[in-house]
Amino acid sequence: MAGPNRRAVTSYDVAKAAGVSQSAVSRAFTEGAKISAATKDKVKKVAAELGYRPSFIAQSLINRRSNLIGIVVPGLMNPFYSAALDNLSHKLNLMGYRVLLFSMFRDDDTDPIMEEILRHRVEALILVSSSLSSHFDEECRLLGLPVVLLNRKNDSETVSSVTSNNLAGGAAIAEFLIKAGHRQLAFIAGRDSSSTSRDRETGFGQRISEMGAPAALRDAGMWTIEEAMNATRRLMSLPKTPDALFCANDMMAIGALNVVVGEMGLKAGSDISVVGFDDISMASWPLINLTTWVQPLTEMVDLTVSMIKSQLEDNEAEPVQHVLVGKLIIRGSSRSIGGDIGKDTTLPNL
Amino acid sequence: MAGPNRRAVTSYDVAKAAGVSQSAVSRAFTEGAKISAATKDKVKKVAAELGYRPSFIAQSLINRRSNLIGIVVPGLMNPFYSAALDNLSHKLNLMGYRVLLFSMFRDDDTDPIMEEILRHRVEALILVSSSLSSHFDEECRLLGLPVVLLNRKNDSETVSSVTSNNLAGGAAIAEFLIKAGHRQLAFIAGRDSSSTSRDRETGFGQRISEMGAPAALRDAGMWTIEEAMNATRRLMSLPKTPDALFCANDMMAIGALNVVVGEMGLKAGSDISVVGFDDISMASWPLINLTTWVQPLTEMVDLTVSMIKSQLEDNEAEPVQHVLVGKLIIRGSSRSIGGDIGKDTTLPNL
């Protein structure tokens, strides 16, 4: 689609104008390459005059480096994903890499775009809250392409991943809500394809059962505010209304608050408790004030970046599944357990 | 940093294994290139066995196309920026491009990274809420590199831009607040370097003066929630307290609501009015319910993409400064003007 006149200045143009070989131009721009000071100066002067810039693309053919790391995200409307991308991008820049962005638009199956990702010759791949099929897992291993899943894990242990302890988080939230005197809990799920939603639900359900409380009601919010609002409306019109809602992420919990507080006029923290998962920045806003499970995003990003770095340095590195420790933070959207536990306190070891 | 064993299969490897020339491998993967069916089949079979994939990088050296469009954003913590990026990425993908992301981390001066951007040989550049210096403006024009500023404009008219009518928005908000009976308005600014913040303030101040109302108080929130909360606390402790706050974007308005409602216990919409600018998705949440000026983001993105497309097709295309029409949407965070204007109605022509 480029117009016929649009053409970047190439090393050929510089070589011709400076009266040297293309190889001399290349050496003039390569750190430590063998070239006389006079030739180097002449090349740099002509290059500056013509507006020549050594291209990453040309260099990457020589040294097989693209300086690009692919990041796959399932859309950016959830602040957890945009915060992860923001943070990853910042830390990868400090290492000299730039982010080639693959945004999937509310999907989490990467298969349809993996062929294209691999053709871009990224140096590594980070999948945020997205899965990798066994086919492409194997292909990436054959290519020696470093891959880390962030906030998602594969069933097989051949892919490196960083998650927080979703099972423990779900269990702690169940215990907290039951101890706060709630009688009928409900769970609002993300997508069934997501291991994170499944693990949070499993931990929640097991602890409810262990404590002898009635099984939780259930509906699905598909990770979005709008669907979570619909799920909340359905749950709140059941014959036996839930008095506590645990939503598999914060965005859905905000959707639930929109319905029970904004639409129904209930008082969150006394009439009903709403609990999320993630601790996105807005969870702590006084207007939202959401009790939630803190996923340690900064730590998760740091670990992801350091695992990518290890794999880039040693492509025989064994895959590792890291599970970080989260914690419950109690704010105004939920009843507290008793006098000894105030608002805005954390409760790490239930 | 790549390990010594990590090496992608190249056209050379395929050529060797198939017993053909590298040029034959290249032609086998080029639509419409001259090559016999038998040779093409043989090359494709060997390529599949070896896991060879024609590289965008190698192809881009031949056809000068990288398939990459650079997008510069000043961080992603403001949902207006992440929504813009999400939307741009989706529409550019449909045109066959991928996004090379340059996130600037709360800065809006692109100079320090422009050298690097140009070395990546992107086919076009979109700057979201970020400026382009006259030096790099000229350089991009010399290179024939299409550039569009989204939600920002340069003082010179040599760079294409898409903004909404910030002056009219500021003026309409002043008129609305004065007609709603407010006596002391205040403005919370973004960064002074930003043309959008300056234009909103100018429109606001001029209309206040035209209507003979007292000049607005002023503080700066630097586009962030935290700084806007500090600015609000300072304004609310002045001897003459403002009864209406206009914040130069929605995130800062949410910060202001956090203080006046969450901390001070005032009732927004009666004790005080708070008005934002953007209409990010959370402005319409029942929990936030923010009166704001709607920037037509989808239209702004569509226009940006179509301007990029025109410039890619014709690099002599004249730069254009598009200014789209926004509108005021009245929600619960502000007093309404009177019985005839209800909540959640729009007020396009004040």
Side-chain angles (χ1 to χ4, degrees):
Chain A
M1 221 176 295
N5 303 322
R6 211 161 60 81
R7 180 172 171 281
V9 177
T10 66
S11 61
Y12 174 80
D13 302 321
V14 177
K16 206 172 148 191
V20 302
S21 67
Q22 259 181 285
S23 154
V25 176
S26 166
R27 277 177 283 125
F29 284 96
T30 304
E31 208 62 50
K34 210 181 151 186
I35 184 167
S36 76
T39 308
K40 189 170 180 169
D41 287 351
K42 183 163 64 176
V43 168
K44 292 234 166 175
K45 186 163 165 286
V46 171
E49 282 164 14
L50 296 180
Y52 169 73
R53 215 169 246 115
S55 152
F56 280 166
I57 288 180
Q59 288 184 343
S60 75
L61 269 189
I62 297 159
N63 64 14
R64 298 180 184 281
R65 288 204 54 187
S66 66
N67 285 92
L68 300 180
I69 290 188
I71 298 188
V72 179
V73 290
L76 292 170
M77 298 313 285
N78 182 339
F80 186 79
Y81 305 149
S82 46
L85 176 61
D86 202 54
N87 204 330
L88 282 168
S89 171
H90 184 49
K91 279 157 190 163
L92 294 172
N93 289 356
L94 296 176
M95 287 166 59
Y97 291 96
R98 285 288 171 182
V99 169
L100 189 56
L101 178 66
F102 298 89
S103 190
M104 294 202 302
F105 309 101
R106 347 286 164 227
D107 203 356
D108 63 359
D109 177 10
T110 52
D111 261 22
I113 57 167
M114 279 301 294
E115 279 289 340
E116 192 203 334
I117 292 174
L118 295 179
R119 288 189 66 198
H120 271 292
R121 295 279 159 90
V122 294
E123 292 193 45
L125 188 56
I126 297 171
L127 307 182
V128 179
S129 303
S130 310
S131 59
L132 183 68
S133 70
S134 54
H135 168 71
F136 281 107
D137 166 23
E138 201 180 315
E139 181 135 18
C140 291
R141 271 181 291 134
L142 286 173
L143 289 169
L145 182 75
V147 179
V148 175
L149 309 186
L150 173 58
N151 196 39
R152 184 69 65 95
K153 61 181 167 53
N154 265 22
D155 292 334
S156 89
E157 301 207 329
T158 52
V159 190
S160 291
S161 59
V162 180
T163 53
S164 79
N165 49 357
N166 293 303
L167 275 164
I173 289 165
E175 186 163 338
F176 166 71
L177 290 172
I178 291 169
K179 287 189 173 165
H182 292 289
R183 308 227 170 133
Q184 181 58 64
L185 312 190
F187 177 70
I188 297 185
R191 285 179 186 273
D192 287 338
S193 59
S194 150
S195 64
T196 43
S197 180
R198 288 198 310 269
D199 286 352
R200 290 163 199 178
E201 180 168 15
T202 301
F204 188 66
Q206 282 175 349
R207 186 62 53 90
I208 290 173
S209 158
E210 285 161 18
M211 293 178 74
L217 301 167
R218 181 192 202 273
D219 207 317
M222 312 303 281
W223 294 134
T224 72
I225 291 223
E226 296 73 23
E227 283 306 312
M229 287 177 74
N230 289 332
T232 306
R233 290 185 194 109
R234 285 190 296 266
L235 287 167
M236 296 307 289
S237 58
L238 290 175
K240 189 164 166 52
T241 315
D243 57 0
L245 301 172
F246 166 39
C247 304
N249 76 358
D250 281 353
M251 284 301 267
M252 297 198 296
I254 289 170
L257 284 174
N258 274 334
V259 170
V260 298
V261 177
E263 293 180 5
M264 301 176 63
L266 297 179
K267 196 164 159 34
S270 52
D271 299 330
I272 190 165
S273 287
V274 175
V275 179
F277 205 104
D278 280 343
D279 198 34
I280 56 178
S281 63
M282 58 190 72
S284 65
W285 294 353
L287 293 174
I288 308 279
N289 208 12
L290 179 69
T291 293
T292 190
W293 185 261
V294 181
Q295 294 217 77
L297 182 60
T298 306
E299 265 180 80
M300 289 167 77
V301 163
D302 288 347
L303 196 52
T304 301
V305 169
S306 95
M307 287 163 82
I308 289 285
K309 209 170 161 179
S310 310
Q311 290 187 47
L312 282 166
E313 282 161 2
D314 170 16
N315 70 323
E316 306 287 319
E318 287 295 313
V320 192
Q321 287 77 43
H322 278 288
V323 180
L324 297 187
V325 175
K327 65 182 180 190
L328 186 66
I329 180 157
I330 301 170
R331 300 197 182 96
S333 70
S334 64
R335 284 186 211 158
S336 62
I337 289 186
D340 53 336
I341 297 172
K343 300 286 176 184
D344 226 324
T345 50
T346 61
L347 202 64
N349 296 309
L350 271 170
Chain B
M1 221 175 292
N5 304 320
R6 211 162 57 83
R7 177 173 174 282
V9 177
T10 65
S11 61
Y12 174 80
D13 302 320
V14 177
K16 205 171 149 194
V20 300
S21 67
Q22 257 182 287
S23 153
V25 175
S26 166
R27 278 177 283 125
F29 283 96
T30 305
E31 208 62 49
K34 211 181 148 185
I35 184 169
S36 76
T39 308
K40 189 170 182 172
D41 287 353
K42 184 163 65 179
V43 168
K44 292 235 165 174
K45 186 165 165 286
V46 171
E49 283 165 13
L50 296 179
Y52 169 73
R53 216 171 246 113
S55 151
F56 281 164
I57 288 179
Q59 288 183 345
S60 75
L61 268 191
I62 297 159
N63 63 16
R64 298 179 186 283
R65 289 204 52 186
S66 65
N67 286 93
L68 301 181
I69 291 187
I71 298 188
V72 179
V73 290
L76 290 171
M77 298 314 282
N78 181 338
F80 186 79
Y81 305 148
S82 47
L85 176 60
D86 202 53
N87 205 330
L88 282 168
S89 170
H90 184 49
K91 279 158 190 162
L92 295 172
N93 289 356
L94 295 177
M95 287 166 59
Y97 292 96
R98 285 289 170 184
V99 169
L100 189 56
L101 179 66
F102 298 91
S103 191
M104 294 201 304
F105 310 100
R106 348 284 165 230
D107 202 358
D108 63 359
D109 177 11
T110 52
D111 261 22
I113 58 167
M114 278 302 295
E115 278 290 340
E116 192 204 334
I117 292 175
L118 295 178
R119 289 189 65 196
H120 270 293
R121 295 280 157 91
V122 293
E123 293 192 43
L125 190 55
I126 297 171
L127 307 181
V128 180
S129 302
S130 309
S131 59
L132 183 67
S133 70
S134 54
H135 168 72
F136 280 107
D137 167 22
E138 199 181 317
E139 180 135 21
C140 290
R141 271 181 293 134
L142 286 173
L143 289 169
L145 182 75
V147 179
V148 176
L149 309 186
L150 173 57
N151 196 39
R152 184 67 65 96
K153 61 181 167 51
N154 265 24
D155 291 333
S156 88
E157 300 208 331
T158 52
V159 190
S160 292
S161 59
V162 181
T163 53
S164 79
N165 49 356
N166 292 303
L167 276 164
I173 289 166
E175 185 162 340
F176 165 71
L177 290 172
I178 292 169
K179 286 191 173 166
H182 291 289
R183 307 224 171 136
Q184 181 57 64
L185 312 190
F187 178 71
I188 297 186
R191 285 177 186 274
D192 288 337
S193 60
S194 151
S195 64
T196 43
S197 181
R198 289 198 310 268
D199 286 352
R200 290 164 199 177
E201 180 168 15
T202 301
F204 188 66
Q206 281 176 347
R207 187 60 54 90
I208 290 173
S209 158
E210 285 161 17
M211 293 179 73
L217 302 168
R218 182 193 201 271
D219 208 317
M222 310 304 280
W223 294 135
T224 72
I225 291 221
E226 296 71 24
E227 283 307 312
M229 288 177 72
N230 289 332
T232 306
R233 290 185 196 109
R234 286 190 296 264
L235 287 168
M236 296 307 290
S237 57
L238 289 176
K240 188 163 166 57
T241 315
D243 57 1
L245 301 172
F246 166 39
C247 305
N249 76 358
D250 281 353
M251 285 302 268
M252 296 198 297
I254 289 172
L257 283 174
N258 275 335
V259 170
V260 297
V261 178
E263 292 180 6
M264 300 175 64
L266 298 180
K267 195 162 157 35
S270 52
D271 299 331
I272 190 165
S273 286
V274 175
V275 178
F277 206 104
D278 281 344
D279 198 33
I280 57 177
S281 64
M282 59 190 72
S284 66
W285 294 352
L287 293 174
I288 308 280
N289 208 14
L290 179 69
T291 294
T292 190
W293 185 260
V294 180
Q295 293 216 77
L297 181 61
T298 306
E299 266 179 78
M300 289 167 78
V301 164
D302 288 347
L303 196 52
T304 301
V305 170
S306 95
M307 287 163 82
I308 289 285
K309 211 170 158 177
S310 309
Q311 290 187 47
L312 283 166
E313 282 161 2
D314 171 17
N315 70 322
E316 306 287 320
E318 288 295 313
V320 192
Q321 288 77 42
H322 278 288
V323 181
L324 297 186
V325 175
K327 65 181 181 191
L328 185 67
I329 182 157
I330 302 169
R331 299 198 183 94
S333 70
S334 64
R335 285 187 211 156
S336 62
I337 289 186
D340 54 335
I341 296 170
K343 300 286 180 188
D344 225 322
T345 51
T346 62
L347 202 62
N349 296 310
L350 270 171

